[in-house]
Amino acid sequence: MAKAAVSQTQRSKRVAAVLEQMYGTPAKPRGRSNPLDTLIATLLSQNTNDRNSYRAWLNLKKQFPTWDSVVSAPVAAVARSIEVGGLKNQKAQRIRKILKAIRAERGSFELDFLRAMPDDAALRYLQQMKGVGTKTAACVLVFSLGRDVFPVDTHIHRICNRLGLVKTRNADQTYELMKFLTPKGMSYPFHVNLIRFGREICRSGKPFCGSCQFFDECAFGEKVRFSQNHLPADGTGSEKSKFLITEEVSRARHRRTSTGA
């Protein structure tokens, strides 16, 4: 058992290293985002792509500059502002409920107190909120608190299973196992590079298996079927591959801070 675990850990390190050879080491945003901003932005990213969710985020902040104005507005108005991100009614209700709960407990709209909490405690606190799953909570810890936590979304869950790093049924199970397999101190770059790899090459439908550097060791049952499927000549499988809403929120905050806005 221990021997197998060591083997998987080494494989995980190798995957991380190969991805860095392919994409480089992702540079962390110069400024960390506000934890509450990251929480709401990540909620908006659920069940849609990052570009549309970021548009929803920008619309929300433009129409409702403060969290107090979001809570005070009718649900329908908040829903209209985030419509481009999908599931507008559900997300609007959840966002307002979360904001109200935070204000009732803390007296203001802030989550900065999470900085003093251990990872597990911070995760548990966030996960008690309706609509906040493990991935969303982990994103807050990584992008706002700078913690060495490895968020698992659908892309990462798919890739880790295809590569045989884990054998799980859902992203939460993958998260629990990858906590022990992710190289120490590498959670952020490994997370970002795996997402890019999942969008460009190891896609859910019609993956570019013919261009995959992990082809020989991959456990994906249909890799031979897609072995003639190669990455386009421009080297990009998806025009959205370099975009992460969590990073954009961090960069936007850094720009505002730098300009004194």
Side-chain angles (χ1 to χ4, degrees), residues 105-142:
E105 178 184 332
R106 308 297 303 182
S108 62
F109 298 108
E110 62 88 19
L111 291 175
D112 287 339
F113 64 92
L114 293 176
R115 301 184 191 280
M117 298 175 69
D119 293 348
D120 289 345
L123 285 167
R124 285 195 300 271
Y125 177 85
L126 292 169
Q127 288 175 294
Q128 72 180 341
M129 303 175 185
K130 187 173 179 59
V132 179
T134 304
K135 177 252 182 176
T136 298
C139 281
V140 174
L141 267 66
V142 172

Short mmCIF file of all heavy atoms in Angstrom, two decimals, residues 105-142:
data_model
loop_
_atom_site.label_atom_id
_atom_site.label_comp_id
_atom_site.label_asym_id
_atom_site.label_seq_id
_atom_site.Cartn_x
_atom_site.Cartn_y
_atom_site.Cartn_z
N GLU A 105 -23.26 37.76 10.87
CA GLU A 105 -22.29 37.15 11.78
C GLU A 105 -21.14 38.08 12.12
O GLU A 105 -20.69 38.14 13.28
CB GLU A 105 -21.74 35.87 11.16
CG GLU A 105 -20.69 35.18 12.02
CD GLU A 105 -20.09 33.95 11.36
OE1 GLU A 105 -20.77 33.32 10.54
OE2 GLU A 105 -18.92 33.63 11.66
N ARG A 106 -20.64 38.80 11.10
CA ARG A 106 -19.42 39.58 11.27
C ARG A 106 -19.66 41.08 11.46
O ARG A 106 -18.75 41.81 11.85
CB ARG A 106 -18.50 39.39 10.06
CG ARG A 106 -18.21 37.94 9.70
CD ARG A 106 -17.47 37.22 10.79
NE ARG A 106 -16.20 37.87 11.14
CZ ARG A 106 -15.35 37.39 12.04
NH1 ARG A 106 -15.63 36.25 12.68
NH2 ARG A 106 -14.23 38.02 12.32
N GLY A 107 -20.87 41.53 11.13
CA GLY A 107 -21.16 42.96 11.25
C GLY A 107 -20.76 43.76 10.04
O GLY A 107 -20.97 44.98 9.97
N SER A 108 -20.16 43.11 9.05
CA SER A 108 -19.74 43.78 7.81
C SER A 108 -19.56 42.73 6.73
O SER A 108 -19.62 41.52 7.00
CB SER A 108 -18.44 44.55 8.02
OG SER A 108 -17.40 43.67 8.38
N PHE A 109 -19.31 43.20 5.50
CA PHE A 109 -19.11 42.28 4.38
C PHE A 109 -17.61 42.02 4.22
O PHE A 109 -16.92 42.66 3.42
CB PHE A 109 -19.68 42.86 3.09
CG PHE A 109 -21.16 43.11 3.14
CD1 PHE A 109 -21.66 44.40 3.20
CD2 PHE A 109 -22.06 42.05 3.13
CE1 PHE A 109 -23.03 44.63 3.24
CE2 PHE A 109 -23.43 42.27 3.18
CZ PHE A 109 -23.91 43.57 3.24
N GLU A 110 -17.09 41.10 4.99
CA GLU A 110 -15.65 40.79 4.88
C GLU A 110 -15.37 39.37 5.36
O GLU A 110 -16.08 38.82 6.21
CB GLU A 110 -14.82 41.81 5.68
CG GLU A 110 -15.10 41.84 7.17
CD GLU A 110 -14.26 40.86 7.97
OE1 GLU A 110 -13.22 40.41 7.44
OE2 GLU A 110 -14.63 40.55 9.11
N LEU A 111 -14.32 38.80 4.76
CA LEU A 111 -13.86 37.45 5.14
C LEU A 111 -12.38 37.46 5.50
O LEU A 111 -11.73 36.41 5.49
CB LEU A 111 -14.11 36.47 3.99
CG LEU A 111 -15.56 36.11 3.67
CD1 LEU A 111 -15.62 35.23 2.43
CD2 LEU A 111 -16.23 35.41 4.85
N ASP A 112 -11.84 38.63 5.80
CA ASP A 112 -10.41 38.72 6.08
C ASP A 112 -10.00 37.91 7.30
O ASP A 112 -8.83 37.52 7.43
CB ASP A 112 -10.00 40.18 6.29
CG ASP A 112 -9.99 40.96 4.98
OD1 ASP A 112 -9.91 40.32 3.92
OD2 ASP A 112 -10.08 42.20 5.02
N PHE A 113 -10.94 37.62 8.19
CA PHE A 113 -10.62 36.82 9.37
C PHE A 113 -10.16 35.41 9.02
O PHE A 113 -9.51 34.72 9.82
CB PHE A 113 -11.83 36.74 10.31
CG PHE A 113 -13.02 36.03 9.72
CD1 PHE A 113 -13.18 34.67 9.91
CD2 PHE A 113 -13.95 36.71 8.96
CE1 PHE A 113 -14.27 33.99 9.36
CE2 PHE A 113 -15.04 36.05 8.42
CZ PHE A 113 -15.20 34.69 8.61
N LEU A 114 -10.46 34.97 7.78
CA LEU A 114 -10.03 33.65 7.35
C LEU A 114 -8.50 33.54 7.30
O LEU A 114 -7.95 32.44 7.39
CB LEU A 114 -10.60 33.33 5.97
CG LEU A 114 -12.11 33.15 5.85
CD1 LEU A 114 -12.49 32.95 4.39
CD2 LEU A 114 -12.60 31.98 6.69
N ARG A 115 -7.83 34.66 7.16
CA ARG A 115 -6.37 34.66 7.06
C ARG A 115 -5.71 34.08 8.31
O ARG A 115 -4.60 33.55 8.25
CB ARG A 115 -5.85 36.07 6.80
CG ARG A 115 -6.39 36.71 5.53
CD ARG A 115 -5.78 38.07 5.26
NE ARG A 115 -6.48 38.79 4.21
CZ ARG A 115 -6.34 38.57 2.90
NH1 ARG A 115 -5.47 37.65 2.51
NH2 ARG A 115 -7.03 39.26 2.02
N ALA A 116 -6.39 34.18 9.43
CA ALA A 116 -5.83 33.68 10.69
C ALA A 116 -6.24 32.25 10.98
O ALA A 116 -5.79 31.67 11.98
CB ALA A 116 -6.28 34.59 11.84
N MET A 117 -7.03 31.64 10.11
CA MET A 117 -7.54 30.29 10.36
C MET A 117 -6.71 29.25 9.62
O MET A 117 -6.22 29.51 8.52
CB MET A 117 -9.00 30.19 9.91
CG MET A 117 -9.95 31.11 10.67
SD MET A 117 -11.65 31.07 10.01
CE MET A 117 -12.15 29.40 10.47
N PRO A 118 -6.54 28.07 10.20
CA PRO A 118 -5.88 26.97 9.49
C PRO A 118 -6.70 26.59 8.25
O PRO A 118 -7.90 26.89 8.17
CB PRO A 118 -5.88 25.83 10.51
CG PRO A 118 -6.10 26.48 11.83
CD PRO A 118 -6.95 27.68 11.57
N ASP A 119 -6.05 25.92 7.32
CA ASP A 119 -6.72 25.56 6.06
C ASP A 119 -8.02 24.81 6.28
O ASP A 119 -9.06 25.17 5.70
CB ASP A 119 -5.78 24.71 5.19
CG ASP A 119 -4.58 25.48 4.69
OD1 ASP A 119 -4.57 26.72 4.82
OD2 ASP A 119 -3.65 24.83 4.18
N ASP A 120 -7.99 23.76 7.08
CA ASP A 120 -9.19 22.93 7.26
C ASP A 120 -10.34 23.72 7.87
O ASP A 120 -11.49 23.57 7.46
CB ASP A 120 -8.87 21.72 8.14
CG ASP A 120 -8.01 20.69 7.42
OD1 ASP A 120 -7.90 20.78 6.19
OD2 ASP A 120 -7.45 19.81 8.10
N ALA A 121 -10.02 24.58 8.84
CA ALA A 121 -11.06 25.38 9.48
C ALA A 121 -11.66 26.39 8.51
O ALA A 121 -12.88 26.61 8.47
CB ALA A 121 -10.50 26.09 10.71
N ALA A 122 -10.81 27.01 7.69
CA ALA A 122 -11.28 27.98 6.71
C ALA A 122 -12.16 27.30 5.66
O ALA A 122 -13.20 27.82 5.25
CB ALA A 122 -10.10 28.68 6.04
N LEU A 123 -11.75 26.12 5.23
CA LEU A 123 -12.54 25.36 4.26
C LEU A 123 -13.90 25.00 4.84
O LEU A 123 -14.93 25.15 4.17
CB LEU A 123 -11.79 24.10 3.84
CG LEU A 123 -10.62 24.28 2.87
CD1 LEU A 123 -9.79 23.02 2.78
CD2 LEU A 123 -11.13 24.68 1.47
N ARG A 124 -13.92 24.53 6.07
CA ARG A 124 -15.19 24.15 6.71
C ARG A 124 -16.12 25.35 6.84
O ARG A 124 -17.32 25.24 6.61
CB ARG A 124 -14.93 23.53 8.08
CG ARG A 124 -14.40 22.11 8.04
CD ARG A 124 -14.53 21.44 9.40
NE ARG A 124 -13.78 22.16 10.43
CZ ARG A 124 -12.51 21.93 10.73
NH1 ARG A 124 -11.84 20.99 10.07
NH2 ARG A 124 -11.90 22.59 11.69
N TYR A 125 -15.56 26.48 7.20
CA TYR A 125 -16.38 27.69 7.35
C TYR A 125 -17.05 28.04 6.02
O TYR A 125 -18.25 28.33 5.97
CB TYR A 125 -15.53 28.86 7.83
CG TYR A 125 -16.32 30.14 7.93
CD1 TYR A 125 -17.05 30.44 9.08
CD2 TYR A 125 -16.37 31.03 6.86
CE1 TYR A 125 -17.81 31.59 9.16
CE2 TYR A 125 -17.12 32.20 6.94
CZ TYR A 125 -17.84 32.47 8.09
OH TYR A 125 -18.60 33.62 8.15
N LEU A 126 -16.28 28.03 4.95
CA LEU A 126 -16.82 28.40 3.64
C LEU A 126 -17.83 27.37 3.14
O LEU A 126 -18.86 27.72 2.55
CB LEU A 126 -15.68 28.56 2.64
CG LEU A 126 -14.74 29.75 2.89
CD1 LEU A 126 -13.50 29.64 2.01
CD2 LEU A 126 -15.46 31.07 2.64
N GLN A 127 -17.55 26.11 3.38
CA GLN A 127 -18.41 25.05 2.86
C GLN A 127 -19.77 24.96 3.55
O GLN A 127 -20.68 24.30 3.04
CB GLN A 127 -17.69 23.70 2.96
CG GLN A 127 -16.55 23.56 1.96
CD GLN A 127 -15.77 22.27 2.16
OE1 GLN A 127 -15.12 22.07 3.18
NE2 GLN A 127 -15.85 21.39 1.18
N GLN A 128 -19.92 25.62 4.67
CA GLN A 128 -21.22 25.62 5.33
C GLN A 128 -22.23 26.52 4.60
O GLN A 128 -23.43 26.44 4.84
CB GLN A 128 -21.08 26.11 6.77
CG GLN A 128 -20.79 27.60 6.90
CD GLN A 128 -20.66 28.05 8.34
OE1 GLN A 128 -21.11 27.36 9.23
NE2 GLN A 128 -20.06 29.21 8.54
N MET A 129 -21.73 27.35 3.68
CA MET A 129 -22.60 28.24 2.92
C MET A 129 -23.21 27.48 1.75
O MET A 129 -22.52 26.74 1.05
CB MET A 129 -21.81 29.43 2.39
CG MET A 129 -21.09 30.23 3.46
SD MET A 129 -20.06 31.54 2.73
CE MET A 129 -19.25 32.18 4.20
N LYS A 130 -24.49 27.67 1.52
CA LYS A 130 -25.17 26.97 0.44
C LYS A 130 -24.59 27.38 -0.91
O LYS A 130 -24.45 28.56 -1.22
CB LYS A 130 -26.68 27.29 0.46
CG LYS A 130 -27.48 26.45 -0.53
CD LYS A 130 -28.96 26.67 -0.36
CE LYS A 130 -29.79 25.86 -1.35
NZ LYS A 130 -29.56 24.41 -1.23
N GLY A 131 -24.25 26.37 -1.69
CA GLY A 131 -23.69 26.63 -3.01
C GLY A 131 -22.17 26.68 -3.04
O GLY A 131 -21.57 26.75 -4.11
N VAL A 132 -21.53 26.63 -1.87
CA VAL A 132 -20.07 26.67 -1.80
C VAL A 132 -19.55 25.26 -1.58
O VAL A 132 -19.64 24.71 -0.47
CB VAL A 132 -19.59 27.60 -0.67
CG1 VAL A 132 -18.05 27.59 -0.61
CG2 VAL A 132 -20.10 29.01 -0.89
N GLY A 133 -19.00 24.68 -2.63
CA GLY A 133 -18.44 23.34 -2.53
C GLY A 133 -16.94 23.38 -2.26
O GLY A 133 -16.35 24.44 -2.05
N THR A 134 -16.33 22.22 -2.31
CA THR A 134 -14.90 22.11 -2.01
C THR A 134 -14.05 22.92 -2.97
O THR A 134 -13.12 23.63 -2.56
CB THR A 134 -14.47 20.63 -2.07
OG1 THR A 134 -15.28 19.86 -1.18
CG2 THR A 134 -13.01 20.48 -1.67
N LYS A 135 -14.38 22.87 -4.26
CA LYS A 135 -13.58 23.59 -5.25
C LYS A 135 -13.66 25.09 -5.02
O LYS A 135 -12.64 25.80 -5.05
CB LYS A 135 -14.05 23.23 -6.65
CG LYS A 135 -13.33 23.98 -7.78
CD LYS A 135 -14.25 25.00 -8.41
CE LYS A 135 -13.55 25.72 -9.56
NZ LYS A 135 -14.45 26.66 -10.26
N THR A 136 -14.86 25.62 -4.80
CA THR A 136 -15.03 27.05 -4.59
C THR A 136 -14.29 27.50 -3.34
O THR A 136 -13.58 28.52 -3.36
CB THR A 136 -16.53 27.40 -4.47
OG1 THR A 136 -17.19 27.06 -5.69
CG2 THR A 136 -16.73 28.88 -4.19
N ALA A 137 -14.43 26.75 -2.25
CA ALA A 137 -13.74 27.10 -1.01
C ALA A 137 -12.23 27.06 -1.19
O ALA A 137 -11.51 27.93 -0.71
CB ALA A 137 -14.17 26.15 0.10
N ALA A 138 -11.73 26.03 -1.90
CA ALA A 138 -10.29 25.90 -2.11
C ALA A 138 -9.75 27.05 -2.94
O ALA A 138 -8.62 27.53 -2.71
CB ALA A 138 -9.98 24.57 -2.78
N CYS A 139 -10.53 27.54 -3.91
CA CYS A 139 -10.10 28.67 -4.73
C CYS A 139 -9.90 29.92 -3.87
O CYS A 139 -8.97 30.71 -4.11
CB CYS A 139 -11.11 28.95 -5.83
SG CYS A 139 -10.98 27.83 -7.25
N VAL A 140 -10.76 30.13 -2.89
CA VAL A 140 -10.60 31.27 -1.99
C VAL A 140 -9.27 31.16 -1.25
O VAL A 140 -8.52 32.14 -1.12
CB VAL A 140 -11.77 31.36 -1.00
CG1 VAL A 140 -11.52 32.47 0.03
CG2 VAL A 140 -13.09 31.62 -1.73
N LEU A 141 -8.95 29.96 -0.76
CA LEU A 141 -7.71 29.78 -0.01
C LEU A 141 -6.49 29.99 -0.89
O LEU A 141 -5.50 30.60 -0.46
CB LEU A 141 -7.67 28.38 0.62
CG LEU A 141 -8.21 28.30 2.06
CD1 LEU A 141 -9.70 28.60 2.09
CD2 LEU A 141 -7.92 26.94 2.68
N VAL A 142 -6.54 29.51 -2.12
CA VAL A 142 -5.38 29.63 -3.02
C VAL A 142 -5.20 31.06 -3.52
O VAL A 142 -4.12 31.64 -3.40
CB VAL A 142 -5.51 28.67 -4.22
CG1 VAL A 142 -4.41 28.94 -5.24
CG2 VAL A 142 -5.44 27.23 -3.76
#
